[in-house]
Amino acid sequence: MAGAFWCVVEDDRKGMPKKVMAEVLGEAARLGGPVEALWLTDKASEDGLKQLGGWGATKVWLLENAGLAPYRGEVWVPPVAELAAKESPKAILAPVTSRQREFMARLAAKLGVGLAADSVALARDGDKLVATRPVYAGKLLSKVTWAKAPYLATLRPNVFKPADAQAGKSAAVERPSLTIPPPQMKLVERREEVSTGLPELTEAEIVLSGGRGMKGPENYVILEELGGIIGAAVGASRAAVDAGWRPHRFQIGQTGRTISPKLYMGFGVSGAIQHLAGMRTSKVIVAVNKDAEAPIFKIADYGIVGDLFEVVPELTKEFKRLLEK
Amino acid sequence: MNLHLTDEQQMIQAMAREFAGQHIKPIAAEIDRDARFPHETVKRMGELGLLGIAVPEQWGGSGADTVCYVLALEEIARACASHAVVMSVNNSLYCEPVLKYGTDAQRRRFLTPVASGHALGCFALTEPEAGSDARNQHTLARRDGDDWVLTGRKLFISTGREASFALVFAQTDQAKAHRGITAFVVEKGTRGFSVSRTEDKLGIRASDTAELVFEECRVPDAHRLGPEGMGFKIALSTLDGGRVGIAAQAVGIAAGAYERAVAYARERKAFGVPIGEHQMVQWMLADMTTAIDGARLLTLRAATLKDAGRPFTREAAMAKLFAAEMAMKVTTDAVQVHGGYGFIKDYEVERYFRDAKITAIYEGTSQIQKLVIAREVLGA
Amino acid sequence: MKILVAIKQVPDTATAVKVGSDSKQIDTTGITWIVSPYDEFAVEEALRIKEKRGQGEVVAVTVGPDRAKEALRSTLAMGCDRAIHVNDAALTGADTLTTARALAAVVKQEAPQLVLTGRQAIDDDMGAVGAQLAEVLGWPCASWIMEETVDADAKTVRVGRQVEGGLEIFELPLPAVLSAQKGLNEPRYPTLKGIMGAKKKEIKDLKAADLGLGALTPELSITTLEALPARPPGRIIQGETKDAVKELVRALREDAKAI
C-alpha cells in the first residue's frame, strides 16, 4: 500500500518529544513504514528533531507556529487535513494523551475516515490495518478495521514496544507551507497541579495504587516514599477517591485514568470491576490485601495476603537495599 | 394478572436502590452501633420525595402510589432497617391519615411540611397499658371552650423525639369506650407536650423510640383530625396501610441478609470448595429466596389492592404476618450461613437479625395479625 | 439558553457482558442498561446551568434502538425538559462519525447554544463523538472539562480542561461542544416527583430520513469481538512478611523482569 505512517508528536511543551513517541514510531516501523513524524508545535528543538530521527522517523513534517500552542482543535485540524489531502498518508497514529485524543477524533471527522481510539494492538491484514481495542470496561476485545485510508488510531501508552534509540540516525525536516487558522478559543490560564515529584500516572512504567485498605489520606505517604525510590506513580481506587483521600486525577479505573504500566502494584485495593477496567492491561500485576478473597487476586500475577502497613515498609527497605548495592 | 412493574415503578425502585446503596449502606453499621438518628440521610430522603410518596403533589408529596412506596421501602430496608422505619412511620402512619381525614386547612398546615420531608411526623397510639389492647386508651382529652386539654403518656413511639408533628389518640368520652377515642395533631413545642425518654433497643437502633408525655397540654379544636369518637377507626384503618409498609420493611431486611449470605457462600471456602457448593447451604439459600419472594408478592398484592381502592385489611395482615416471620427465619439462617462470622459485628448480618424481630411486634404483633385474618375469614 | 445533552445507553459496568453469536456484538440478554456515567455528568451540568440562569431549556438526545428510550426517560426524570430519540435500524452499530453526523443534524434542527456530552461512553470507550460533533458543526470544543461557567449573556463559556499535569482554562465563544469528565459535578438522583412527571414530557422520535442523512456507510467496523484472554494463574507468595517481600522483589526482578 502506498503512503506513509504518520506519527503525531506529543511533546513536553518545551520542544522535546515525549518518551511515548518511541512506542508510536516503533509500532509504525513494525507495521512496515515508511515512518514519518508530524509535529505541531510553537517551538521545536534541534534535539527534539534528532530524537525523532533516532526513534526511526525518516521524515519530520514540522508545523511550527506560535498559534499552535496551546493545542486547540480548530487550529490544529485544518492544516493537517490540508497536508493529508496532499500527501495521502496510509495511517496517522498518535499516543493517547489529553489533546491527541480530541485532535485525532476531530481530524477523523474532518477527513471523513474512521478512528480506532485507545488501541492496544495493530496488525497488517494485506493492505488493511486491524486495530485491537479493549471495550466494555476491558472485559472484551474488539477488532476494528477501516473502510478507507488514512487509518487513524490512538495508541495506549506502555503497551507497544518502543523503538530502540539509534544515535546518528536523522530525519529529513519538511516545513510545509500551510494556513494556520486563527483560534476561536482563548487560553486564560494553565493551572499546574502541585507536583508530587513522581511520574505522571498514565505515563509511568510502575504504578502503585492505594485502595480503601489505606485507611486514610495520611497513609499515602508510605506509597509516595516507595514510589520515590523505584520511580513509580501513585494512584488510587475509586473508593479512596470518593472518600476524599486523593484528588480525582489520581483515580485509576473506569471513571478515572486508564493505565497500562509494566508493573502495577495494588495495596488494599479490592479489585472492583470499575478499577480493573482501568488497569487490567498492565503487564505484571501485584496485589497486597489482607482479604484473601479480594477479587484483585484473581488477575494478579503475584499476591501477598497480608497487612499493607507491614508489606510496604518492607518493600521500601528491600528496594533501598538493592539500590545501594 | 400482570406482574410487571410500570416504568415509573421501576425507576423509583432503581433510584431508591442506588440512593440506599450509595448513601445509607455505608453508614448503617455505624449509626446502629451509636444509636444515632441519621439526620443527613433522612433529609435527603425527604428531598427525593421518599417521605410522602403517595401524597398528591398539591400537598407536598410525590404523587405516586402504594406499590411505589413498598418498592422503595424495601430498597431502603435492604440497606438499613432504621431508615426504613422512619420512612414507614412518616408515610403510612402520619401522612396517610392526615391526608385521608384532614380538612384542606389541616392538610396545608400539618401535611405539606411532612410529606415534602421538611419535618417528620409520628403516630402516638401505644400506651403503657394499651399495646395490643389498643382500645384501652388512658390518655384523656378534656374539652375546654374551643380547646382540648390532653393528659397522659404514649409509649414506644417511633420517631417520637425527632417528629415535629404527632398524631395523638386520646379518650374524649370515656363512657363510649373505644368509640370515645379522638385523634389530634399536636405540634412539637406545644406547652405541656414533652419527650420524657428514648429507648435503648435490640434493633432498629438508629431510629428513635420515645415516650411522649402530655401534661395539661392544650390544643385548639382545629387540631382535631376527623370527628369526635372517630379516632379508633382512624387508627385501625391507618394500621392497615402501615402493615403493608412493615411487610415491605421485613422483605427488605430479609433480602439484605440473604444477599450477604449469598456473597459469603460464594467466597467462603470449607473442605476445599466454596460453602455454596455444599448442598446444605444451597438448601438454605433456596428456602430463603423462595420465602422472600413469597412475602414480596403478598406485600405487592396488598399494595395493589390498596391502590385500587379495594378492601385489603386481610391481605395487609397476611403480608405483614408472613413477611415478619419470614424475616426472622431468613435472617437467622443468614447468620447460620456465616457461621461464627455471622455472630460478630464485622459482617453486619447480625444487625439484620436484630432488626428483623421488631417487624413481628410493632403495628400489630404476629398474634394480632392472626386475629385480624381469622376475623376476616370468619366474618366475625 | 437552550442546551442539548447527547447521551448514550450502555450496559451497567457490573453486568456480565458476553460476546453474541455473530462475534461482532454483545449478547444483550439479561443486561442492565444505564445512562453512561459521564453523560450523567453532562446532564447534571446542563440542569445546573439552567437552574443558575433561572430560565432555559435542556433537551436530551440519543441515537439508539428502542430500549434507549429508557435512558432518555431517566434524563427527563432528572429534570431535562424534553428528549429526542434518533431511532433507525440504519443507525444500529453506527461508528462514532456516523453518530456525530446524526447528532449534528439534530443540532442544526434544534439550534442550541451549547452541547454537552460525556467524555466517552463506557461501552465502546471510543471517546470521539463529542469532538467529532464539534468538527462536523465547525464549533469549538473542549474535552474532559472539570469546571464550567457560562457568562451572563450566554456569549462565551469558560471551562477547565483536564490535561496532563493540570487544568487548562479556556474561554470559548458559544455555540460550543463540551465533554464532561468526572469531577465536574455530582449528578443528582431523580426525585419521585421527577420520575412521575417524566411521563408527561415529550420524547420526539426521529428517523435518519427526518434528519436528511444520506447513505450511512460506516468508516470503522468491528470485525470480531472476543473475550479477554484469561491471565495465567497468579502466585500467592506465602510466608512471613519479610520473607514474602524478599521473594516478591526477587520474582519481579528475575522472573517477570518488571523492575
Side-chain angles (χ1 to χ4, degrees):
Chain A
M1 50 182 168
F5 279 80
W6 283 3
C7 300
V8 186
V9 175
E10 178 70 20
D11 62 34
D12 62 359
R13 298 181 173 90
K14 294 179 200 104
M16 281 304 283
K18 283 197 170 178
K19 207 170 61 172
V20 67
M21 289 315 297
E23 297 165 24
V24 181
L25 291 158
E27 182 62 13
R30 203 188 57 77
L31 291 166
V35 182
E36 299 179 358
L38 171 67
W39 195 358
L40 291 87
T41 177
D42 58 335
K43 184 112 193 66
S45 71
E46 274 313 308
D47 286 350
L49 291 164
K50 235 179 257 164
Q51 177 73 85
L52 292 169
W55 280 334
T58 54
K59 184 187 283 185
V60 179
W61 297 98
L62 181 61
L63 279 66
E64 200 175 15
N65 184 299
L68 293 169
Y71 158 75
R72 278 161 295 201
E74 75 273 15
V75 185
W76 276 37
V77 171
V80 174
E82 190 186 335
L83 188 65
K86 234 182 280 175
E87 301 295 332
S88 307
K90 181 171 5 191
I92 306 179
L93 311 179
V96 176
T97 64
S98 64
R99 56 183 178 178
Q100 301 293 352
R101 201 185 280 121
E102 182 193 291
F103 166 64
M104 292 291 281
R106 287 196 75 148
L107 182 63
K110 178 82 176 175
L111 299 173
V113 298
L115 165 75
D118 202 18
S119 305
V120 295
L122 292 171
R124 289 280 291 266
D125 175 14
D127 207 29
K128 291 227 158 197
L129 205 58
V130 177
T132 304
R133 313 178 50 250
V135 291
Y136 297 97
K139 288 180 242 179
L140 303 179
L141 287 176
S142 155
K143 290 202 163 122
V144 294
T145 191
W146 290 257
K148 60 173 181 280
Y151 312 139
L152 265 61
T154 57
L155 280 58
R156 186 178 287 190
N158 281 324
V159 173
F160 294 85
K161 192 171 174 297
D164 294 321
Q166 295 186 20
K169 274 184 94 179
S170 67
V173 179
E174 290 255 7
R175 295 169 182 266
S177 146
L178 299 161
T179 316
I180 310 285
Q184 294 174 282
M185 293 167 56
K186 196 173 80 198
L187 181 69
V188 179
E189 58 169 318
R190 212 185 124 83
R191 263 185 241 153
E192 302 289 338
E193 282 154 4
V194 184
S195 171
T196 53
L198 299 175
E200 169 73 21
L201 203 51
T202 45
E203 295 168 7
E205 293 190 354
I206 307 174
V207 172
L208 311 176
S209 168
R212 204 191 280 281
M214 294 301 293
K215 296 208 171 123
E218 65 282 3
N219 295 323
Y220 278 81
V221 57
I222 63 170
L223 293 187
E224 281 161 4
E225 192 192 349
L226 175 58
I229 287 164
I230 58 176
V234 174
S237 72
R238 175 173 159 178
V241 169
D242 284 353
W245 299 348
R246 302 296 277 171
H248 174 255
R249 66 188 155 108
F250 292 117
Q251 185 181 323
I252 297 164
Q254 188 158 43
T255 45
R257 304 291 178 103
T258 301
I259 57 164
S260 199
K262 289 209 176 80
L263 174 61
Y264 164 97
M265 301 175 88
F267 299 94
V269 171
S270 66
I273 297 167
Q274 285 88 344
H275 190 71
L276 301 187
M279 48 62 73
R280 72 195 314 162
T281 54
S282 304
K283 281 202 191 65
V284 176
I285 296 174
V286 173
V288 176
N289 202 307
K290 269 207 284 204
D291 176 9
E293 308 292 342
I296 192 156
F297 285 117
K298 292 203 179 87
I299 65 153
D301 298 286
Y302 299 100
I304 292 180
V305 179
D307 184 353
L308 73 92
F309 293 105
E310 288 171 23
V311 173
V312 175
E314 276 301 322
L315 271 171
T316 309
K317 231 196 283 174
E318 182 67 12
F319 279 117
K320 249 192 201 155
R321 196 179 61 81
L322 285 168
L323 280 172
E324 278 161 12
K325 261 192 183 171
Chain B
M1 184 164 192
N2 182 3
L3 291 173
H4 287 288
L5 299 177
T6 64
D7 287 345
E8 286 74 25
Q9 288 163 348
Q10 286 180 44
M11 280 166 83
I12 288 168
Q13 184 181 42
M15 179 275 277
R17 178 176 302 163
E18 211 173 308
F19 172 74
Q22 289 285 322
H23 299 278
I24 296 179
K25 202 169 160 201
I27 62 166
E30 171 232 312
I31 60 173
D32 168 71
R33 186 189 63 222
D34 301 343
R36 179 176 72 77
F37 189 88
H39 291 103
E40 263 313 295
T41 34
V42 169
K43 181 167 172 270
R44 290 205 61 184
M45 283 167 68
E47 288 161 3
L48 290 171
L50 290 166
L51 296 181
I53 294 180
V55 174
E57 283 189 36
Q58 180 191 3
W59 306 115
S62 300
D65 58 17
T66 316
V67 170
C68 292
Y69 167 56
V70 301
L71 292 170
L73 186 50
E74 178 189 331
E75 294 303 332
I76 301 295
R78 195 190 286 246
C80 170
S82 293
H83 280 82
V85 66
V86 176
M87 181 172 161
S88 155
V89 166
N90 210 71
N91 277 282
S92 296
L93 299 190
Y94 183 84
C95 288
E96 169 138 351
V98 177
L99 173 68
K100 196 163 158 193
Y101 299 101
T103 61
D104 277 2
Q106 288 176 325
R107 287 167 173 168
R108 200 168 304 119
R109 179 153 174 212
F110 303 134
L111 179 58
T112 305
V114 180
S116 59
H118 290 93
L120 293 171
C122 69
F123 178 84
L125 176 68
T126 300
E127 296 187 359
E129 287 167 63
S132 289
D133 182 12
R135 299 168 178 226
N136 190 25
Q137 293 283 311
H138 286 254
T139 298
L140 300 179
R142 164 171 56 81
R143 183 98 201 202
D144 183 16
D146 281 344
D147 295 339
W148 295 89
V149 180
L150 275 65
T151 307
R153 287 162 63 207
K154 294 285 175 184
L155 201 64
F156 302 151
I157 306 307
S158 300
T159 324
R161 185 191 58 215
E162 298 295 335
S164 302
F165 299 91
L167 181 58
V168 182
F169 296 87
Q171 203 81 50
T172 46
D173 188 345
Q174 279 174 292
K176 289 188 182 156
H178 68 276
R179 288 189 185 83
I181 296 170
T182 303
F184 299 92
V185 178
V186 183
E187 280 180 84
K188 194 181 205 167
T190 306
R191 187 202 288 233
F193 172 26
S194 63
V195 174
S196 56
R197 54 173 289 176
T198 49
E199 309 294 345
D200 188 7
K201 306 188 292 292
L202 171 73
I204 54 166
R205 289 175 51 77
S207 70
D208 83 279
T209 305
E211 182 183 48
L212 311 186
V213 176
F214 300 91
E215 291 167 307
E216 291 289 305
C217 174
R218 186 174 287 271
V219 294
D221 188 50
H223 288 219
R224 173 173 46 78
L225 193 75
E228 279 177 54
M230 262 283 276
F232 196 66
K233 224 180 135 191
I234 293 174
L236 286 191
S237 92
T238 300
L239 286 171
D240 280 345
R243 282 165 191 159
V244 185
I246 300 307
Q249 184 193 24
V251 171
I253 292 170
Y258 165 74
E259 271 164 21
R260 282 173 159 74
V262 170
Y264 192 77
R266 286 205 177 106
E267 272 172 21
R268 172 73 175 179
K269 289 197 174 93
F271 306 105
V273 292
I275 59 169
E277 289 184 25
H278 296 301
Q279 207 171 50
M280 302 250 241
V281 174
Q282 291 175 359
W283 281 27
M284 287 169 85
L285 295 176
D287 281 345
M288 287 158 86
T289 188
T290 306
I292 292 168
D293 260 16
R296 185 181 285 130
L297 286 170
L298 283 175
T299 307
L300 284 168
R301 179 180 69 167
T304 307
L305 287 171
K306 183 169 187 288
D307 284 335
R310 288 164 58 188
F312 68 101
T313 301
R314 185 179 80 124
E315 288 76 9
M318 287 166 97
K320 180 177 184 288
L321 169 66
F322 187 81
E325 298 298 319
M326 175 282 295
M328 203 61 237
K329 172 84 168 89
V330 166
T331 54
T332 305
D333 288 348
V335 170
Q336 194 69 18
V337 168
H338 281 73
Y341 289 103
F343 201 67
I344 60 171
K345 302 235 172 197
D346 292 15
Y347 278 76
E348 288 196 45
V349 71
E350 60 83 35
R351 187 183 81 242
Y352 287 83
F353 171 80
R354 289 185 285 105
D355 286 345
K357 188 66 213 173
I358 190 64
T359 62
I361 297 173
Y362 58 16
E363 301 195 31
T365 60
S366 288
Q367 289 68 31
I368 289 290
Q369 305 310 321
K370 290 183 191 185
L371 271 182
V372 172
I373 297 164
R375 254 185 229 142
E376 292 273 326
V377 168
L378 299 170
Chain C
M1 176 174 188
K2 186 168 176 179
I3 305 167
L4 199 74
V5 190
I7 64 142
K8 186 173 184 185
Q9 189 189 42
V10 298
D12 190 347
T13 320
T15 307
V17 176
K18 278 187 284 221
V19 179
S21 53
D22 68 348
S23 295
K24 288 190 180 182
Q25 292 180 33
I26 55 163
D27 179 353
T28 54
T29 42
I31 283 187
T32 311
W33 298 96
I34 57 167
V35 175
S36 185
Y38 296 109
D39 296 340
E40 284 196 337
F41 300 133
V43 171
E44 175 66 32
E45 201 62 20
L47 295 173
R48 286 187 190 190
I49 293 170
K50 178 185 157 180
E51 283 160 4
K52 206 168 141 193
R53 304 181 75 81
Q55 48 88 24
E57 187 183 29
V58 179
V59 184
V61 57
T62 196
V63 178
D66 292 347
R67 59 169 161 75
K69 213 160 242 109
E70 287 165 36
L72 287 176
R73 219 167 267 129
S74 42
T75 66
L76 294 176
M78 281 176 80
C80 291
D81 297 293
R82 60 191 174 85
I84 296 169
H85 186 185
V86 182
N87 182 2
D88 194 317
L91 287 159
T92 308
D95 64 0
T96 57
L97 187 52
T98 309
T99 305
R101 284 172 175 157
L103 291 172
V106 174
V107 169
K108 277 175 194 151
Q109 289 189 354
E110 290 288 331
Q113 281 133 300
L114 181 66
V115 176
L116 277 160
T117 188
R119 78 167 214 213
Q120 71 194 64
I122 61 156
D123 51 0
D124 69 3
D125 285 327
M126 202 67 95
V129 170
Q132 297 195 318
L133 172 60
E135 186 62 39
V136 175
L137 293 167
W139 289 7
C141 81
S143 305
W144 291 46
I145 64 156
M146 299 282 287
E147 55 183 53
E148 153 286 322
T149 331
V150 175
D151 78 326
D153 47 1
K155 289 275 190 299
T156 61
V157 60
R158 186 175 281 216
V159 301
R161 176 167 94 179
Q162 192 181 60
V163 297
E164 289 78 9
L167 269 192
E168 286 176 348
I169 314 298
F170 277 98
E171 200 169 273
L172 285 71
L174 292 175
V177 179
L178 307 178
S179 81
Q181 161 67 325
K182 185 182 174 184
L184 178 61
N185 55 46
E186 184 70 42
R188 68 194 63 190
Y189 292 96
T191 64
L192 263 81
K193 239 186 256 181
I195 293 169
M196 298 307 291
K199 196 163 47 179
K200 290 169 221 144
K201 294 179 180 173
E202 179 205 20
I203 301 181
K204 185 156 98 183
D205 281 290
L206 291 178
K207 295 278 171 204
D210 300 325
L211 294 166
L213 296 172
L216 299 164
T217 44
E219 290 297 334
L220 196 78
S221 8
I222 295 169
T223 58
T224 55
L225 195 60
E226 57 199 46
L228 201 70
R231 286 182 84 97
R235 178 183 151 206
I236 299 288
I237 299 170
Q238 313 279 359
E240 290 298 311
T241 304
K242 208 171 171 154
D243 303 332
V245 166
K246 267 208 164 66
E247 171 53 18
L248 172 65
V249 173
R250 188 207 61 77
L252 288 177
R253 299 179 70 214
E254 295 171 18
D255 304 344
K257 303 203 178 352
I259 187 162

